[in-house]
Amino acid sequence: MPFVSRSNGVITGLYEQRQDGLAEEFLSDDDPAVIAHRDARPAVSAVSARQFRLMLRRSGLLDAVKAWVAQQDGETQDAFEYSGTFVKDSPMMAAGFAAMGFVSQQIDEFFAAAAQL
């Protein structure tokens, strides 16, 4: 039976022992919130260029993204063309996803799906 820490009502950590000021709430092992936390996949912060491009293609976004990149500065064009890894929180990613109309949850889902390829 774990002690849990929370942020905005969401469990952020499980502890065997009470952690004063951090994890003081005690829940049973079969509590749905504890199970959900244990089963949650870690957030994906980066994917390979191959995974990213395959996900763009499967999402029907590859041509739109290439067109957007072609209108950007040389550094952005080089980054898109030659990066081996695409980092979700990079400025280029933020600008590109904003241009495609994505919200934060959609970006997370895109990277999670790309990581599975």
Side-chain angles (χ1 to χ4, degrees):
M1 296 202 185
F3 288 90
V4 300
S5 60
R6 293 184 186 260
S7 177
N8 296 323
V10 176
I11 293 177
T12 57
L14 303 175
Y15 304 87
E16 287 185 23
Q17 308 266 331
R18 178 186 171 104
Q19 306 293 311
D20 289 335
L22 175 66
E24 298 176 347
E25 179 184 1
F26 187 72
L27 296 177
S28 67
D29 286 326
D30 62 353
D31 184 283
V34 171
I35 293 169
H37 178 77
R38 284 189 176 139
D39 292 346
R41 291 186 176 177
V44 177
S45 61
V47 294
S48 72
R50 177 189 144 294
Q51 291 170 313
F52 188 78
R53 288 176 180 265
L54 283 174
M55 194 64 212
L56 287 176
R57 184 175 302 282
R58 290 182 182 190
S59 299
L61 295 170
L62 186 58
D63 291 337
V65 169
K66 284 183 175 182
W68 178 82
V69 169
Q71 297 174 353
Q72 304 309 303
D73 62 36
E75 286 186 14
T76 300
Q77 292 175 18
D78 288 346
F80 181 75
E81 186 66 28
Y82 301 110
S83 290
T85 303
F86 285 80
V87 179
K88 181 172 63 173
D89 295 332
S90 73
M92 181 184 78
M93 286 288 109
F97 278 115
M100 297 299 122
F102 276 56
V103 296
S104 180
Q105 182 178 350
Q106 290 172 303
I107 297 168
D108 291 343
E109 290 169 357
F110 182 94
F111 269 80
Q116 299 301 308
L117 300 176

